[in-house]
Amino acid sequence: NNNNHQLSFIDFEYAGYNPRAVDLGNTFCECCDMNNLKPDYDTEYPTKDEQDWFLRRYIAAADPGLYTWLESHTSTEQQAWDGLLEELRLEIGKHALVSHLGWAVWGVCQSYTSPIEFEFRKYSALRLEGYKLFQQQFFPTKQQQTTR
């Protein structure tokens, strides 16, 4: 909410006990237009700056002591923040694969059981495309590494 700078989490019906990075990776994936079956990861997935904005606020709420410490070290503040945020973005990006894979399996199951008219198999295929894209980005094969 831009007016009062609060972040509210909703939609817990599929909640599970996951590492934070899985849930945050899923949150970032949900910024893409999955429900309308036309995600564009290049333009819709949060940018580095958007992720950093989100993560700073997340840390402020989840660990106020850490946030205060990072903010109070003025001479090294940005360096401390930069290192932490880079590490978190990498961890979250890797764990976004779990989100893609989980929702791809969910879509296949729903295609057999749900009475809702929705292209669940197309949704699953899109999530698998997302999985492959993130896999290439965060776990490149040796061949992909040499072509970069």
Side-chain angles (χ1 to χ4, degrees), residues 11-72:
D11 198 10
F12 292 107
E13 73 265 22
Y14 292 106
Y17 185 73
N18 293 310
R20 274 186 290 208
V22 172
D23 293 327
L24 293 173
N26 185 65
T27 298
F28 291 164
C29 288
E30 292 296 324
C31 292
C32 303
D33 199 1
M34 296 291 183
N35 294 334
N36 292 313
L37 303 174
K38 50 182 181 180
D40 183 348
Y41 296 108
D42 291 332
T43 62
E44 296 172 334
Y45 192 83
T47 64
K48 174 186 174 290
D49 289 340
E50 291 167 337
Q51 290 178 53
D52 288 353
W53 181 90
F54 179 94
L55 291 169
R56 282 177 178 261
R57 281 142 190 87
Y58 181 86
I59 291 166
D63 192 341
L66 174 60
Y67 181 84
T68 301
W69 183 86
L70 287 164
E71 289 292 311
S72 69

Side-chain angles (χ1 to χ4, degrees), residues 73-145:
H73 287 76
T74 54
S75 63
T76 58
E77 172 190 333
Q78 197 55 48
Q79 185 179 6
W81 270 115
D82 287 349
L84 177 61
L85 293 172
E86 183 177 344
E87 186 176 323
L88 290 172
R89 284 192 313 273
L90 181 63
E91 181 182 356
I92 291 165
K94 288 178 177 181
H95 281 82
L97 279 90
V98 177
S99 169
H100 284 302
L101 192 57
W103 285 113
V105 171
W106 173 86
V108 170
C109 294
Q110 291 299 309
S111 73
Y112 290 105
T113 61
S114 177
I116 298 171
E117 286 192 34
F118 182 74
E119 296 181 63
F120 288 107
R121 290 185 183 177
K122 183 176 180 181
Y123 179 85
S124 292
L126 289 170
R127 293 309 294 245
L128 287 176
E129 287 176 18
Y131 178 89
K132 290 174 187 172
L133 178 73
F134 280 68
Q135 183 183 35
Q136 290 171 358
Q137 183 177 352
F138 293 103
F139 299 101
T141 63
K142 289 184 188 225
Q143 182 182 8
Q144 292 167 331
Q145 289 173 345

